[in-house]
Amino acid sequence: MERFVGDGLLVVFNDPLPCADHSEKAVSMATGMRDAIDEHLEQWRKRGYLLGFGIGIARGHATIGQIGFDQRSDYAVIGTIPNHAARLCEQAKSRQILVSQRVFGAVEPLVEAVTVGELSLKGFHRPMPAYEIVRWLG
């Protein structure tokens, strides 16, 4: 599932069909996207545009499915996990991939990463640990 929201994009792994190693696939895709966009950033900079590209990834259970009412419904994902990913994305600097502690735990042997520390994210009562994915090793 994907969703375009303003200048953002939401991608959901492991639904509607189960997906083995969904955290690994999400982080691998994110690093691939970052590498691919690098080729274009310099071309756009020469034309006077400064593009940023930050990614946030979270893992967990969410409410997902047909959401809305009779006249207007959509297949969507809502809850703490998509909000967590969105808040990490808001915190990410250009080219930065920020992941939650649960995502980092799932991909740790496959990545080079650094701890960002605990971030105070809008909508969360306590600071949340975050990690920056520097490089995909898998």
Side-chain angles (χ1 to χ4, degrees):
M1 178 185 128
E2 94 298 317
R3 165 91 40 209
F4 295 96
V5 183
D7 63 353
L9 170 71
L10 169 70
V11 179
V12 176
F13 287 80
N14 206 33
D15 188 83
L17 300 174
C19 171
D21 305 324
H22 48 85
S23 294
E24 292 90 339
K25 288 181 175 147
V27 173
S28 174
M29 184 184 87
T31 58
M33 289 171 65
R34 180 181 59 196
D35 295 346
I37 201 75
D38 281 349
E39 299 171 20
H40 301 288
L41 291 177
E42 181 60 20
Q43 293 171 1
W44 283 103
R45 187 193 63 73
K46 289 177 183 176
R47 294 179 181 148
Y49 297 98
L50 296 176
L51 301 179
F53 185 75
I55 297 175
I57 305 173
R59 171 187 171 146
H61 297 282
T63 300
I64 200 162
Q66 207 62 25
I67 298 173
F69 51 92
D70 289 341
Q71 289 78 29
R72 172 86 167 82
S73 69
D74 211 351
Y75 190 79
V77 58
I78 59 174
T80 304
I81 298 305
N83 287 345
H84 192 178
R87 299 301 180 241
L88 288 170
C89 188
E90 289 171 1
Q91 293 289 315
K93 297 176 180 78
S94 185
R95 298 194 76 258
Q96 196 173 38
I97 300 169
L98 296 181
V99 301
S100 69
Q101 186 170 7
R102 291 184 74 190
V103 171
F104 178 68
V107 302
E108 185 175 6
L110 303 170
V111 297
E112 179 184 325
V114 295
T115 184
V116 176
E118 294 194 343
L119 301 177
S120 295
L121 303 174
K122 179 181 169 188
F124 291 87
H125 298 295
R126 61 180 174 79
M128 307 292 280
Y131 300 84
E132 178 181 357
I133 303 299
V134 176
R135 190 164 57 108
W136 176 255
L137 305 172

